[in-house]
Amino acid sequence: MGKQGSSKDAVFGLGMKVHNVRCCNDPPSCRRMTSVDCRWNSKSLLFHGLKSDASKYSSYKGLYVGKKHLWLQKHIKTMVVMFGLLSCLLLLDSLMVSSYDFVKFQPSAASNNSNDFQGRDSFIIKKQSQIQMYDRLLNMASSALAENEFKQESSNLWVEPYRLASPWEPCSERKLHTHPGKSKESNGYILVSANGGLNQQRVAICNAVAVASLLNATLVIPKFLYSNVWNDPSQFGDIYQEEHFMNLLKDDINIEKELPSHMKSLDIEAIGSQITDADLAKEATAADYIKIVLPILLRNGIVHFLGYGNRLGFDPLPSDIQRLRCKCNFHALKFVPKIQEVGSLLIKRIRKYNAPRSMLDTQLLGKFIENNKDHDASRSSTKYLALHLRFEVDMVAYSFCDFGGGENERKELQAYRESHFPLLLERLRNSSSPISPLNLRKLGRCPLTPEEAALVLAALGFKSGTYIYLAGSHIYGGDSRMHPFTRLYPNVITKEDLLTSSELAPFKNFSSQLAALDFIACATADVFAMTDSGSQLSSMVSGFRTYYGGNHAPTLRPNKKRLAAILLENGTIGWNSFEDRVKKMIQEGQKVGMRNYGKSIYRQPRCPECMCIKQQ
């Protein structure tokens, strides 16, 4: 999975480099100009002023024709001084521009060290020429957006198309008479060390709560493993409200902040109480836990799940355990006030004006969204689309797809694989069937490029001026990849654009906390679009929007296999046909239905264990 947080210096392809200056006070709407642009505009005004002055003097030329030599003799010193000063100014300006250009185009340290493969950043900072795979479609999209600029936008873009969503409402936090509750006697303690980023950790927490109830154990507040990939030392209390978590679940399971003192010195691995992925299958069943884990818990009084994540399946599972997972995910895990406060500030600035609160706002931002005292109903808020664009270097390299970058790109991605995925390469070398990038694309296994994402939005009818909040990690290829997107949709904004450096300072070097801000901005967006429906952020966000959004939180999910088939006709397909097929693809992905057997309850909470049907 790609890391969610990113620093301002690593936001690429958005037309907002660090040397840019804004010429207004409204970050989302102002026109951005580089410092060179502003300086040359000033210089143009200077020359315009001088030209105007010269025209004034020329109107009096006839009055002085008889005294030409006398005037020159009298003012020659002044003229020399003036021209000397002007020459100095021009020379200084030229030096400044040269210096600026020299710094601007110097290769960064990350770029110089790209062959060392010390991290993903070295693959995104390189300055490359623009890469476009669908020139013809992009030109047609640009023309279509220009034609639709002054037409009324369809209101269907901003609402869920299927009203069958409205009967469902949240109810997993309600107490049920049939719920057995927690037992007085605990079988022991469960420790959890969760790996991954924010959303992987969230899944691990909810699974741990369910397992604690299943095994009648006491859960110790989960710990988060530090990883060189995520570089984030954040723990549970840095992201979620511990007291709220414990209080909301107190009737379901026993939760403690720490182990009792007499157990802290135990060598858990030595006594055989450490459980790893090798001991439990992915998406293990309740029966697996009772067979493998419960005997160890009863024998030693403690079990430690190391590197815990997606190790509990969704079916078959007792309904009360399933309900508890929903209760944990949608009600018990509340972001800490620090995250809620800055998240509220972020949402206000995206929307420009203070919009009426939604249920999503209230659940994710708590009391801070209530500070919107100055809402003016006559001034409509700006609607925005949040896009989770998954095109990080690790995802791109792992896919083995071709993205039109030529031989240099293929060599660079192969070198990245050799450095980061040696076991994958070894497995493929021993495979009898070679990988075909074209076949991978036809099967829908290639990450969508920013260009492809922009084409989908254009086909759906979103206007060029749509404000798009970009969530996700570093875009592989930087400017070269983002240019086709920003060509069609220039109003791309990120948290780094809307929050000041001092407001972001408490989150610096804490990728999971930065990811929490992206989670808030995506979940509360008017429309949420994803390029990879399998990512944890997209799954968790879309589930939140289903649970709390009613029929006012549409989510756009492209079918990558169907989209690939459409895009393969890019040389011949007409724009009208492209629009029709893309719209049909997206609309079919938005159809409302109950959760299917085995599907994620976090992503698809419409089921009796999580939601209730309103009484008519």
Side-chain angles (χ1 to χ4, degrees), residues 590-608:
Q590 288 180 296
K591 288 183 178 178
V592 173
M594 288 183 60
R595 182 184 74 91
N596 293 324
Y597 185 89
K599 296 298 183 180
S600 169
I601 205 162
Y602 308 122
R603 177 180 173 181
Q604 299 179 9
R606 288 194 184 101
C607 60

Side-chain angles (χ1 to χ4, degrees), residues 31-50:
R31 176 180 180 269
R32 296 175 174 85
M33 297 193 300
T34 65
S35 53
V36 173
D37 293 332
C38 292
R39 182 161 58 250
W40 280 106
N41 283 344
S42 300
K43 191 166 73 174
S44 298
L45 290 174
L46 173 64
F47 279 119
H48 178 74
L50 290 174

Side-chain angles (χ1 to χ4, degrees), residues 451-487:
E451 180 184 11
E452 291 169 334
L455 288 171
V456 170
L457 295 179
L460 292 175
F462 287 97
K463 290 195 171 184
S464 180
T466 301
Y467 285 97
I468 298 177
Y469 180 89
L470 187 66
S473 192
H474 307 311
I475 303 301
Y476 173 66
D479 286 340
S480 61
R481 283 292 176 189
M482 279 303 296
H483 179 267
F485 190 100
T486 54
R487 172 186 165 185

Side-chain angles (χ1 to χ4, degrees), residues 212-312:
S213 178
L214 180 68
L215 302 181
N216 188 30
T218 298
L219 177 67
V220 178
I221 292 286
K223 302 290 185 182
F224 300 154
L225 293 174
Y226 181 85
S227 166
N228 290 331
V229 175
W230 304 99
N231 295 320
D232 187 352
S234 297
Q235 290 300 320
F236 189 101
D238 298 315
I239 300 173
Y240 302 109
Q241 300 176 30
E242 286 187 348
E243 296 299 329
H244 176 82
F245 176 77
M246 297 174 70
N247 288 335
L248 197 76
L249 298 174
K250 64 183 180 181
D251 294 329
D252 301 286
I253 60 171
N254 294 309
I255 304 178
E256 299 290 342
K257 290 187 177 181
E258 295 180 349
L259 278 174
S261 57
H262 70 279
M263 300 189 75
K264 289 183 178 179
S265 59
L266 285 175
D267 188 335
I268 295 175
E269 185 176 6
I271 63 175
S273 283
Q274 185 163 286
I275 306 293
T276 67
D277 288 354
D279 303 305
L280 276 174
K282 184 178 180 181
E283 297 189 357
T285 65
D288 292 329
Y289 279 88
I290 292 173
K291 178 182 178 181
I292 298 171
V293 181
L294 184 58
I296 300 173
L297 182 66
L298 293 173
R299 182 176 68 246
N300 298 328
I302 188 170
V303 165
H304 179 205
F305 292 102
L306 179 64
Y308 195 62
N310 191 20
R311 294 288 150 180
L312 178 63

